[in-house]
Amino acid sequence: MDQFLIHGGKALRGGVEAAGSKNATLPILTASLLADGPCRLSRVPNLRDTETFLKLLAEFGLRIERPAPRRIAIDTSEVRTGTAPYDLVRTMRASVMVLGPLLTRFGRAQVSLPGGCAIGARPIDQHLKGLEAMGAEISIKDGYIDARAGRLKGVRVSFDMVTVTGTKNLMMAAALAEGTTVLENAAQEPEVSILADLLNQMGGRVTGAGTPIIEIEGVDRLGGYEVGVPPDRIETGTFMIAGAITGGDVTIHRCIPEHVRSLTLRLREAGLDVTEGNDWVRVLANGPLQPVSIKTAAYPGFPTDLQAQFMTLMTLARGSCAISETIFENRFMHAAELVRMGANIATDGRTAHVEGVESLAGAHVMATDLRASASLVLAGLAAKGDTIVRRVYHIDRGYERIEERLRTLGAEIERVSE
Ligand code: EPZ
């Protein structure tokens, strides 16, 4: 197993380009199950999750080609329904997104129930409730969801909580349903709008994405698509914090500054100089870090996917703050590891109280999930001495060659075998 060896304490300086978004790539790939025609993607991030997802799509007859690096061409001419197996769904919960498209196109889909994961129970009741309201008959057998339907019918669905994947799943199901579906309390994350634009390019009729009410008028057929994957806002935010925590000066190019605005505002409150242009954002460290409390929320609120990284930054602030996690019930596993590096953090249910310390010290730490591992890398970059971050396969799920890109900014980080 690979691990990162980080020699901390160097201020990061320079520019880095944002990669294509993981959480946009997965629904774009999923939408190819709806396509009657070829699909082409560019700026596809080279990630473990992308690879796993392509394996899943192959189960449904899609033929994947890679005409060039970061490009994928999908031949959908032999697409069919099938089963999303436990082994793939278990490692990547986003796999559940194939349920809506397969069901609406073929009238039948079987998908393993994902089960819990490191950051929480993560049920999918809202996906199932919506599909049932559209006319699906759903039973659970041997750990698998077995869904059957004639043509799904457009209905009004009101989500009990904001769910990003649930919104995407039902949008795709509704795209080929009979009549109009209205999703209320829909997720407003940029990745939802990206999917809506894609469905419209394929011949769908989706309006309201980016607001809490999305309307989808079903059509009889969707064609293929050609799309460049938009930049990853969580990766952008992680690089911004890398600049901040090392007292450096980092510019992220080819990003969408609006997508990281909630972070930008908090970084400014913390005393950083953050400037932005059309497609870049620059973080310049400027004097001592001030403590800033945050509470995660659905977009446009502060993203849960940057909570761990922001907590790491706050471990070095001059004073105390509270970090509250409202989206997932178990997303503080990085806190105990940060404490091992000298941080002063006390967790109390869904709130972590962070008292800033003078410095962090290098240690052996263990990554437990994707964003927690990013936060430990950030801690290692800022710490005095050497840090070893174990189980970096978590970080490879969502950050493309992060160590090489951090090195271009001057970081001393190496990938080594355990
Ligand atoms: C997406 O997960 C992202 N994943 C996550 O990114 C991200 O943390 C999350 O949205 C929140 O922004 C992808 O886009 C692939 P949810 P998702 O459904 O869609 C509860 C990362 O690090 N809920 O919005 O699975 C659920 O348990 C990952 O890149 C139900 O109770 O999240 C959670 O508490 C991790 N019932 C909350 O809602 C449901 O039917 C939000 O979940 C659905 C969700």
Side-chain angles (χ1 to χ4, degrees), residues 22-24 26-27 93-94 97 119-128 161-166 168 187 189 191 233-234 298 303-305 326-329 331 350 369-371:
K22 165 178 88 78
N23 289 345
L26 305 182
R93 304 177 50 88
M97 251 185 314
I119 60 178
R122 300 181 79 181
I124 53 160
D125 55 302
Q126 301 298 305
H127 306 227
L128 303 186
M161 80 279 297
V162 175
T163 158
V164 179
T165 304
K168 293 171 187 164
E189 268 65 6
E191 297 75 29
R233 62 194 168 97
I234 304 303
T304 172
D305 292 347
T326 71
I327 309 291
F328 293 110
E329 64 272 25
R331 216 176 192 186
R350 288 191 173 206
D369 71 74
L370 168 57
R371 309 302 171 187

Side-chain angles (χ1 to χ4, degrees), residues 33-103:
L33 293 170
L34 296 167
D36 180 9
C39 300
R40 287 196 189 80
L41 295 81
S42 55
R43 203 182 181 183
V44 179
N46 243 326
L47 301 171
R48 267 174 59 116
D49 271 14
T50 316
E51 292 309 310
T52 313
F53 216 83
L54 291 174
K55 251 189 236 164
L56 176 65
L57 291 184
E59 301 269 330
F60 309 117
L62 296 179
R63 282 205 300 265
I64 318 285
E65 276 175 38
R66 294 162 179 279
R70 296 201 170 66
R71 283 181 183 270
I72 290 178
I74 306 176
D75 174 352
T76 63
S77 55
E78 286 178 24
V79 62
R80 55 173 185 265
T81 192
T83 300
Y86 177 62
D87 277 349
L88 292 177
V89 180
R90 180 176 55 88
T91 57
M92 201 182 39
R93 304 177 50 88
S95 314
V96 77
M97 251 185 314
V98 303
L99 184 60
L102 290 176
L103 185 63

Side-chain angles (χ1 to χ4, degrees), residues 53 71 137 176 254 287 302 375 389:
F53 216 83
R71 283 181 183 270
E137 275 181 32
L176 287 178
R254 290 190 75 198
F302 193 93
S375 79
V389 181

